[in-house]
Amino acid sequence: MGCSKWRAAFNFGHLKVQSKLSVFFTMIVLFTYLFYCLNGYCDSLPRPVYNQQTDLQNKIVSNDGHGASLDQLGAHHASPASFVREQLPDLSNSDAPSNNISIANNFGSKKFPQAVIIGVKKGGTRALLEFLRIHPDVRAVGSEPHFFDRFYDKGLEWYRNLMPRTLEGQITMEKTPSYFITKEAPRRVFSMSRHTKLIVVVRDPVTRAVSDYTQTLSKSPGLPSFQNLAFRNATTGLIDTSWSAVRIGIYAKHLETWLRFFPLSRFLFVSGERLVTDPAGEMGRVQDFLGLKRVVTDKHFYFNQTKGFPCLKKPEGSSRPRCLGKSKGRPHPQIPTGVLLKLRDFYRPFNLKFYQMTGKQPHTAHPLPTFPFNEPHNISSHSRSDLSNWSLVTTLLHDLLFTVEVRIGPLACPEVRVQSAFRHQSHLRPLGLHMQRVTPRPMRRRYENVRKRESLLSARHT
Ligand SMILES: Nc1ncnc2c1ncn2[C@@H]1O[C@H](COP(=O)(O)OS(=O)(=O)O)[C@@H](OP(=O)(O)O)[C@H]1O
């Protein structure tokens, strides 16, 4: 019979129990291996690139451990950046192409990120990454790898293995907002690739500090009040810069460290505020910077009234609309206005410095940041020409936070377009408030036409 041959082949009856068991286990091992391979886990096999990277990593570690500090480098070299660039090899440079030699298979290959969202914490980094992920040419790690701050000793190979596989033409990305304030991060990112594109989402540092505090408060409800933490001395109003919620917002200081390694052209500063008020516009700038086709447009967003934020119509891997999670867009606790004003005063010089540092970057049609002008009394101290670009006005009304975006056009009769975005809008009506009462008075006095536009707004929102 035809079957008898097979019966003979699979008839292990003549084998001892021991042999049967060993055949059985061999098959299990084989199947497990096959299963893992099919799921893309086989690239942990040793490759030549590994040794090269370990060597490099040792160099980096020894640089970190025993090399000169950045300040020392700066003291001995006219251009610390160029000195460091000479000292540290660039793995993705054409001289050392092995950096991105990756393990190709049918599903693509794992590459180091060509672009990293390095900050800032509570700036809107998650929103930006999620918006980018709907672009077919972007692949990003979902969680924050924290490689350049916490896990650097795990090595570059470990880092690359965290990355999703990409096909030709796709960009690999990750976001870890704490990189921006990590002193060692610029040097480490530079040593991975001097060509890395760096994206920083900046947000009014006062609002950012409150957002940061809100997050900590949600985890530790017994936390002292915001003002207790923000001031070193409540009577003198001395700000406590050792509190991370305050320190992170000194953007100019952190940026200085990065500029020792990367030229300004490597950076894109995204406005956290505009990411809420005009996500499609801001995404346009981001896609241009990354050299991507403008695929993510206003078609992809809708404003969710309940959430008070823009949400995605079709997020990556889903056909249903989705907003960011509950930890994004939390209501902030009420902070006394006096405390906020003191903080604004504190940040003003740093904001202006940051504005000067970033104002000339080539990727911005209009310079960032907009928040140095975010108070009415601050606006009045600037000439109208200073405001000929986008300007953001953030104001607190009772315990509600409203963001109003105002555009002063280039013509003699400025066009004012109030675009956005009123959080907790539904709370307005019971209070009997209209948008026109929200716009700060000095602003109204100074820019007459704002008043005219307000009637438009109140008509739209009452
Ligand atoms: N579309 C959308 N949906 C929800 N939230 C949005 C959105 N765009 C920007 N934001 C703002 O993002 C703030 C959180 O910033 P991050 O994602 O950078 O926070 S984190 O550092 O990763 O914890 C978060 O801060 P809070 O409002 O204080 O929670 C939001 O204001």
Side-chain angles (χ1 to χ4, degrees), residues 120-127 131 144 175 177 203 211 215 276 309-310 324 327-330 332 423:
V120 300
K121 185 184 176 197
K122 306 317 288 176
T125 54
R126 173 56 60 192
F131 296 169
E144 295 175 6
K175 81 117 181 162
R203 182 183 185 186
S211 170
Q215 171 160 295
V276 178
F309 281 92
L324 295 191
S327 65
K328 309 290 172 188
R330 278 185 277 233
H332 293 176
R423 290 165 70 179

Side-chain angles (χ1 to χ4, degrees), residues 117 119-128 131 144 175-178 201 203 207-208 210-212 214-215 219 272-277 279 301-302 307-312 323-332 401 423:
I117 301 172
V120 300
K121 185 184 176 197
K122 306 317 288 176
T125 54
R126 173 56 60 192
L128 176 61
F131 296 169
E144 295 175 6
K175 81 117 181 162
T176 307
S178 46
V201 188
R203 182 183 185 186
T207 323
R208 199 220 66 80
V210 179
S211 170
D212 204 334
T214 310
Q215 171 160 295
K219 291 173 191 160
E273 282 84 2
R274 280 208 292 268
L275 211 50
V276 178
T277 59
F301 302 100
Y302 75 99
K307 178 91 180 161
F309 281 92
C311 298
L312 285 172
C323 296
L324 295 191
K326 278 187 188 157
S327 65
K328 309 290 172 188
R330 278 185 277 233
H332 293 176
L401 181 74
R423 290 165 70 179

Side-chain angles (χ1 to χ4, degrees), residues 59-106:
K59 271 188 216 160
I60 294 164
V61 170
S62 69
N63 268 341
D64 281 347
H66 312 292
S69 74
L70 278 179
D71 291 343
Q72 285 168 313
L73 292 176
H76 292 96
H77 291 82
S79 163
S82 55
F83 170 75
V84 177
R85 279 177 204 141
E86 280 156 26
Q87 299 301 306
L88 294 171
D90 177 6
L91 282 176
S92 73
N93 200 1
S94 52
D95 301 341
S98 54
N99 185 39
N100 267 344
I101 289 179
S102 37
I103 315 92
N105 68 13
N106 292 342

Side-chain angles (χ1 to χ4, degrees), residues 226-261:
F226 181 87
Q227 47 272 40
N228 270 357
L229 295 165
F231 294 116
R232 200 168 276 177
N233 183 330
T235 11
T236 61
L238 191 68
I239 304 287
D240 189 349
T241 50
S242 68
W243 185 34
S244 68
V246 167
R247 205 177 57 247
I248 293 171
I250 310 175
Y251 302 145
K253 182 174 154 283
H254 306 301
L255 182 63
E256 253 168 17
T257 320
W258 282 88
L259 288 177
R260 289 179 186 165
F261 291 86

Side-chain angles (χ1 to χ4, degrees), residues 50-200:
Y50 184 85
N51 292 337
Q52 285 182 18
Q53 285 179 343
T54 312
D55 284 353
L56 172 86
Q57 196 190 320
N58 290 340
K59 271 188 216 160
I60 294 164
V61 170
S62 69
N63 268 341
D64 281 347
H66 312 292
S69 74
L70 278 179
D71 291 343
Q72 285 168 313
L73 292 176
H76 292 96
H77 291 82
S79 163
S82 55
F83 170 75
V84 177
R85 279 177 204 141
E86 280 156 26
Q87 299 301 306
L88 294 171
D90 177 6
L91 282 176
S92 73
N93 200 1
S94 52
D95 301 341
S98 54
N99 185 39
N100 267 344
I101 289 179
S102 37
I103 315 92
N105 68 13
N106 292 342
F107 308 100
S109 55
K110 294 186 178 208
K111 300 191 186 79
F112 288 110
Q114 294 96 330
V116 180
I117 301 172
I118 56 171
V120 300
K121 185 184 176 197
K122 306 317 288 176
T125 54
R126 173 56 60 192
L128 176 61
L129 192 74
E130 293 311 309
F131 296 169
L132 269 171
R133 285 173 88 176
I134 51 178
H135 197 293
D137 292 339
V138 173
R139 301 286 335 269
V141 195
S143 56
E144 295 175 6
H146 282 280
F147 175 64
F148 296 108
D149 57 342
R150 289 186 207 153
F151 301 117
Y152 194 63
D153 54 356
K154 290 194 183 284
L156 282 161
E157 191 63 5
W158 176 87
Y159 182 51
R160 189 172 59 175
N161 264 316
L162 296 182
M163 297 301 143
R165 291 174 182 280
T166 47
L167 300 169
E168 202 58 40
Q170 285 183 317
I171 292 182
T172 307
M173 287 192 71
E174 70 121 318
K175 81 117 181 162
T176 307
S178 46
Y179 291 162
F180 189 58
I181 57 149
T182 303
K183 276 203 187 111
E184 301 79 16
R187 184 213 305 250
R188 291 171 174 178
V189 175
F190 183 87
S191 71
M192 175 187 75
S193 169
R194 70 181 67 187
H195 303 296
T196 311
K197 293 187 178 182
L198 306 162
I199 301 180
V200 191

Side-chain angles (χ1 to χ4, degrees), residues 225-227 333-342 396:
S225 68
F226 181 87
Q227 47 272 40
Q334 187 180 357
I335 312 291
T337 314
V339 173
L340 297 176
L341 285 177
K342 280 201 179 116
L396 264 175

